Amino acid sequence: MRPKERFTRALLAAVVGCLVVVARAEDRDIAFAYSAQVVNPKLTGSLYEPRSRTLLLWGTDGAILYSTDLGTWHNAPTPATADLARVAADADGKVLIAVGERGTILRSDDSGRRWHAVAAGGSDFDLRAVIHHASSGVWIAAGTRGTILRSLDSGRTWSALEHGLELSFETLYVEPASRALLIGGEAGLIGRSTDAGVSWLLTQIKMPEPVTPITAFRSLGDELIAMSALGRFLTSSDRGESWELQDMGANAYFTDATLDPVHSTLLLSSHTGDLFRREASDSSWEKVELTLDGQKRFVSAIRYDELTRSLLAVGHHGLAARSTDGGRQWHKIETGFASSMESLAQLDKGRYVGFGEGGYIVSSADSGKTWRRASPELSLNLREVVSVPDSDIMVASGELGGIVRSADSGRTWHLIDVRYPNMNTPPDLRSLLVAPGGKALVAAGAPGTIIRSEDGGQQWRIVHWTPLEKEEAFPWVLARGDSMTVIEARGSFYSSQDAGKSWHLTKLDTDRELWQGSVAAKGSVMLAGGQRGVAIRSVDGGRQWAHIDTGATEDLFGSYADEHSGDWFLLGGKGLILRSLDAGLHWQRAPSGTDRALRRMLRHSATNTLVAFGEFGSIVRSSDGGRTWQPIASGTDAELRKGLIEPRSGHMIIVGQQGVILRSTDAGKSWQRISSHTQRHFRSAVINPRNGDLIAVGERIVRLTRGSATSR
C-alpha cells in the first residue's frame, strides 16, 4: 500500500471514530418521553351515552376505556392515578365528569375521549358519587368526610356545601318524577333536596345495630328502592319524601335491582346468590335461591331484557342465568368463561357488556344468549417479566402458577394455560429468564417447580415437580453459558447443562435459607446468599457448592458481579454492602451511608458508576468501583425492586412499589419520576430493545410507550 493511501485510510478511520464518539455522546444526552397505560385495571362502572353511541368503562388507576362497537376498546388518557368511583354525563352527553379517590375530579367535553383534571378544593377526602341535575344544569359530587360539592359552570369549578356532618356519602340520585335530588350514606342517612342541592333535608333511618349504609337508589315503576346491607333495604312510594325499612332477615348485601314489567315483579340481587322478588299484588317479599350446578354465587347485576321479555343475571365465577317467569326459576347460560362479571352494562337492542377484575371485558349482541371475550382477566400478581430476543414477545410469571404473554410489545396480553401435576397447589413462579442460547424460557418457584418453553412462552412443559410435602422452594435461577442452576432455599440445588431440558440434584447442608444469587459475566463462578449472612459459591457452573465466610450476620437480599472490574458485591439489611476482589472468596464491608436494607445493584457503563437501592426509597452511589458510597435522594419512600438500563441513551431506570418508576440521566446523581399511571406495587420490569417500550409488572401490568426524544 502506498504511503498516501495509508494516510487516507488512517484519516478516514479517525473521522469515523470521532463520529462514533459524537454519536455515543449524543445518545447519552437523549431524554425519552413515556406514555403509560395500565393494561389490567379493575373495571367497576359503566356509562352508555346513546347520542354518541359510546360505552365507557372505568375503574382503578384512573382508567377510562371507551368503545363504539364493543369490539375495539380505546384507552382514554387521563391525568389521574386515583381509583375512579363514578362517571356521569350531562343532558347532551357531551360533558362528562369522573370522580374518585383523593378529591379527584376529571372533566371531558368530547364524550369521554380526552380528560383533564379539575380542582376539587382538597385531597383529604374521596369522592364516591357524581350526578348532573338536568333541570337546573347543576352538577353535584359527594364523598367521605361529609363532602358535598356543587358546580354551576358545567363542572369547571366546584364549591363545597357546609352542613357540619363528617360521615361518608355513598350515592346520589335524581328521582325521575319530581326531579328531586337524593343522597345516601353511612349510618343509614338519606337526604333529599328540591333546590338543586342548595339545601338538604337529611334523615337518619332508624334501624337495629349495627346501622348499615345506604349504597344505591333504584326507581322501579312507582316505587323507589334504597339498597343497604345485612338484608336491609328501604322503599318509598312518595318519591323519596318518606321511607319504610324492609328487613329480609338475612346477611345479604344488595347489589342491584330491576323491574320485570311483563310479570309486574320487583327483584333485588345480593352477594349471597339469593334473589328477592315481589309481585305487584303482594305485600311481602319471596326469597329465591339462584343455584346453578349445585352452587350459589355472588350476583352482581340483574337486568330486564325487552327483546326476549326475560330477566338476565350475572355474577362471579362465570355466573350467567336467565328467567322467563319473573324470577321464580333460572336457567344457566353457558358463557364459556369462568371470570367474574363485577357488573353489566345494558345498551340497546339486546346488547350487553360485562366487566370486572384485571381488565376483563365480555360482550353479547343477542340478549345474553352468547358471549364474546374482548379482553381476558389479568388479575395476577406477577413477579418477573422477560423480553424474548429478536421479537416483540413479552412473557411474565407470578403467583398461582400464572403465565401471561404478549406478542405485540405489551399492548395486549393472554393467559397461558399450564397444566400442573396438582392444580390445587400451583407454584409461585418467582423466577423467569431466557435460557442460554436465547431459544427457550425457564420459570421456577415454590413448591419445587421448573417449567420450560421452546416456543416463546406459548406452551410449557413441566421439567421438574416436587410435591408440596417435600417443601422445596425455588426463589432464584442463575444462567451462564450452557449452565443453569436453580437455587433451593434449604440447600438443594438443581443444575442443568443443556439450557434447562434436564436437571441434576446437588445438596449442601445449611441451617439458613438461601434467597438470591448472581453469576460472573465471564467464567463459571456463581454466588448465592440469604439469611443471616449465609453465602455459598460455585466455580463449576453450579454443579458443586461450598460455604464462604462473609463475616456478616445481616440478611443478604442481593448480590452483583461487576463485569467491568470483576469485583463482587453482597447487599443486605441495615445498609450492608460487602465487596470482594477475589471472586467471592474474601469480603470487606464498604460503608454505604444508609441503614436501610439494600436489594439490587446497577452499573452505568459509560461512567462505570455503581448504584445500589432497596427499601424506603434508599439509593446509594459509588464512582470509585464500590470502595465508597454516597446516599442519593430518590424522592420516594417506596421499596425499590428492579434496575434497568435504557437502550440507546444508557440512562438508568429503577422500578418499585407504589407504582414508582425512577430515571436518572446523569449516571445516578439525581432521579426523576416517570408517571406509571398507578400506585400499585411493581416487582419487575423489562424494556423491549426493538422499540424501547418499558413493561412494568407486579400488582398491575403497565406499558410505557417510548415517544419522541429530546436533546438535553
Side-chain angles (χ1 to χ4, degrees):
M1 185 181 296
R2 298 177 181 178
K4 185 176 180 180
E5 292 177 349
R6 286 197 296 269
F7 174 78
T8 301
R9 292 191 177 185
L11 179 62
L12 180 61
V15 170
V16 170
C18 289
L19 290 175
V20 170
V21 170
V22 170
R24 289 173 181 168
E26 288 177 349
D27 282 350
R28 289 196 296 270
D29 288 336
I30 288 173
F32 293 103
Y34 288 95
S35 176
Q37 177 183 353
V38 179
V39 175
N40 58 338
K42 178 180 180 179
L43 299 173
T44 58
S46 65
L47 173 68
Y48 180 60
E49 213 313 293
R51 293 164 185 81
S52 61
R53 300 183 65 81
T54 300
L55 176 65
L56 286 93
L57 303 178
W58 65 83
T60 61
D61 312 290
I64 300 178
L65 308 178
Y66 67 90
S67 176
T68 57
D69 60 7
L70 307 190
T72 304
W73 290 87
H74 306 278
N75 178 65
T78 71
T81 62
D83 294 352
L84 300 178
R86 293 289 185 273
V87 177
D90 68 3
D92 297 325
K94 184 178 180 181
V95 174
L96 279 71
I97 301 293
V99 300
E101 293 178 317
R102 302 184 301 278
T104 296
I105 300 179
L106 306 178
R107 184 179 186 273
S108 171
D109 57 10
D110 59 1
S111 300
R113 270 63 171 175
R114 293 182 298 271
W115 298 80
H116 65 269
V118 176
S123 60
D124 58 345
F125 53 86
D126 297 336
L127 292 173
R128 302 276 176 80
V130 65
I131 202 163
H132 179 252
H133 191 240
S135 57
S136 66
V138 173
W139 286 86
I140 307 288
T144 61
R145 302 191 64 182
T147 302
I148 301 178
L149 306 177
R150 298 178 79 241
S151 174
L152 306 179
D153 57 1
S154 194
R156 294 180 179 88
T157 61
W158 296 77
S159 59
L161 179 67
E162 300 296 334
H163 53 73
L165 296 178
E166 281 291 319
L167 50 73
S168 294
F169 294 112
E170 302 291 337
T171 184
L172 287 163
Y173 188 71
V174 177
E175 198 282 313
S178 66
R179 309 305 296 169
L181 281 165
L182 302 178
I183 193 168
E186 65 178 342
L189 184 84
I190 286 185
R192 190 171 188 266
S193 172
T194 57
D195 56 6
V198 175
S199 61
W200 294 83
L201 177 61
L202 299 174
T203 303
Q204 192 167 8
I205 304 298
K206 293 182 179 180
M207 60 179 72
E209 294 288 343
V211 179
T212 53
I214 306 303
T215 56
F217 295 100
R218 295 287 190 275
S219 179
L220 306 177
D222 295 329
E223 194 162 21
L224 274 175
I225 302 286
M227 291 185 284
S228 188
L230 296 182
R232 300 169 186 161
F233 60 94
L234 308 173
T235 59
S236 174
S237 57
D238 56 8
R239 299 171 183 174
E241 293 187 31
S242 62
W243 296 88
E244 181 180 351
L245 177 65
Q246 308 278 343
D247 193 333
M248 295 295 101
N251 291 322
Y253 170 82
F254 292 105
T255 58
D256 207 353
T258 194
L259 169 66
D260 183 339
V262 173
H263 299 89
S264 300
T265 303
L266 301 180
L267 291 105
L268 281 78
S269 61
S270 75
H271 81 291
T272 61
D274 292 327
L275 303 177
F276 298 86
R277 65 184 299 275
R278 193 192 72 194
E279 296 184 11
S281 58
D282 293 341
S283 59
S284 60
W285 292 79
E286 173 190 3
K287 185 174 78 171
V288 177
E289 292 187 355
L290 205 169
T291 302
L292 300 176
D293 300 327
Q295 291 184 325
K296 292 199 305 181
R297 293 174 180 154
F298 188 116
V299 181
S300 58
I302 185 168
R303 302 284 185 267
Y304 174 75
D305 183 70
E306 186 176 355
L307 289 181
T308 60
R309 299 164 67 89
S310 65
L311 293 164
L312 180 65
V314 300
H316 286 191
H317 306 296
L319 169 66
R322 186 185 306 281
S323 173
T324 58
D325 62 358
R328 288 189 182 90
Q329 296 180 325
W330 293 84
H331 307 282
K332 182 179 180 180
I333 296 174
E334 293 289 351
T335 64
F337 312 118
S339 296
S340 298
M341 294 191 213
E342 295 297 331
S343 192
L344 187 65
Q346 184 173 16
L347 286 71
D348 51 11
K349 299 179 181 179
R351 296 191 301 159
Y352 295 88
V353 171
F355 50 91
E357 293 271 7
Y360 179 61
I361 303 175
V362 293
S363 65
S364 173
D366 56 7
S367 298
K369 296 176 185 176
T370 60
W371 295 82
R372 182 173 65 89
R373 186 171 62 188
S375 179
E377 178 190 357
L378 301 171
S379 54
L380 300 172
N381 196 339
L382 299 170
R383 289 183 170 270
E384 192 56 81
V385 60
V386 298
S387 174
V388 175
D390 303 319
S391 74
D392 287 329
I393 298 171
M394 306 284 174
V395 179
S397 64
E399 295 179 354
L400 301 178
I403 298 281
V404 295
R405 181 180 186 271
S406 172
D408 54 9
S409 194
R411 291 179 180 87
T412 60
W413 294 78
H414 303 280
L415 285 165
I416 302 299
D417 183 26
V418 182
R419 303 306 299 174
Y420 296 105
N422 187 345
M423 297 302 292
N424 293 321
T425 58
D428 178 7
L429 296 175
R430 301 186 63 176
S431 293
L432 171 68
L433 78 170
V434 179
K439 295 183 179 180
L441 300 176
V442 172
T449 304
I450 307 173
I451 60 176
R452 187 174 185 272
S453 172
E454 294 185 346
D455 60 0
Q458 295 186 82
Q459 298 180 6
W460 293 80
R461 182 171 65 91
I462 310 296
V463 292
H464 175 82
W465 175 269
T466 304
L468 179 65
E469 54 269 21
K470 290 194 175 182
E471 298 183 345
E472 278 191 345
F474 296 155
W476 207 269
V477 181
L478 300 172
R480 172 67 184 147
D482 294 329
S483 301
M484 298 185 72
T485 294
V486 173
I487 296 173
E488 199 277 321
R490 296 171 182 82
S492 294
F493 296 87
Y494 288 87
S495 62
S496 172
Q497 308 303 318
D498 54 10
K501 295 179 182 178
S502 59
W503 297 84
H504 308 282
L505 174 63
T506 300
K507 291 191 175 182
L508 179 72
D509 290 334
T510 177
D511 60 349
R512 291 165 287 177
E513 290 187 358
L514 299 163
W515 298 329
Q516 48 76 28
S518 58
V519 59
K522 298 178 182 179
S524 56
V525 177
M526 293 181 174
L527 188 72
Q531 191 178 32
R532 301 195 310 275
V534 65
I536 58 174
R537 181 174 177 268
S538 172
V539 296
D540 59 2
R543 295 180 182 87
Q544 301 294 325
W545 294 82
H547 283 277
I548 53 176
D549 182 15
T550 64
T553 58
E554 297 91 339
D555 291 339
L556 302 176
F557 299 123
S559 55
Y560 181 76
D562 186 355
E563 63 182 32
H564 174 74
S565 65
D567 296 347
W568 287 73
F569 295 88
L570 286 168
L571 313 171
K574 301 179 181 178
L576 176 70
I577 296 180
L578 299 177
R579 180 170 175 254
S580 173
L581 306 180
D582 55 7
L585 284 174
H586 302 91
W587 296 88
Q588 292 182 338
R589 287 178 179 257
S592 66
T594 182
D595 59 356
R596 303 298 193 182
L598 298 172
R599 291 184 173 274
R600 301 289 181 266
M601 189 175 288
L602 190 63
R603 185 171 73 90
H604 186 257
S605 59
T607 61
N608 293 325
T609 299
L610 295 173
V611 168
F613 51 90
E615 69 175 1
F616 294 103
S618 55
I619 298 178
V620 294
R621 179 179 184 269
S622 174
S623 56
D624 58 6
R627 289 184 289 275
T628 60
W629 296 82
Q630 298 80 38
I632 303 295
S634 67
T636 180
D637 61 356
E639 182 174 285
L640 305 176
R641 304 286 304 191
K642 180 71 176 284
L644 306 165
I645 297 297
E646 192 177 61
R648 188 180 169 194
S649 71
H651 296 329
M652 308 171 88
I653 291 179
I654 298 175
V655 303
Q657 294 185 348
Q658 302 176 21
V660 166
I661 302 179
L662 302 176
R663 176 172 56 182
S664 174
T665 59
D666 55 8
K669 295 177 184 177
S670 63
W671 296 83
Q672 298 78 41
R673 188 159 178 172
I674 299 173
S675 174
S676 66
H677 220 289
T678 185
Q679 293 188 331
R680 267 66 180 189
H681 299 330
F682 292 136
R683 287 186 173 271
S684 187
V686 71
I687 296 177
N688 183 349
R690 290 157 60 96
N691 58 21
D693 288 348
L694 170 62
I695 309 298
V697 302
E699 294 180 343
R700 293 286 186 267
I701 302 172
V702 176
R703 177 175 182 260
L704 294 97
T705 306
R706 193 169 76 176
S708 59
T710 57
S711 219
R712 294 177 62 87

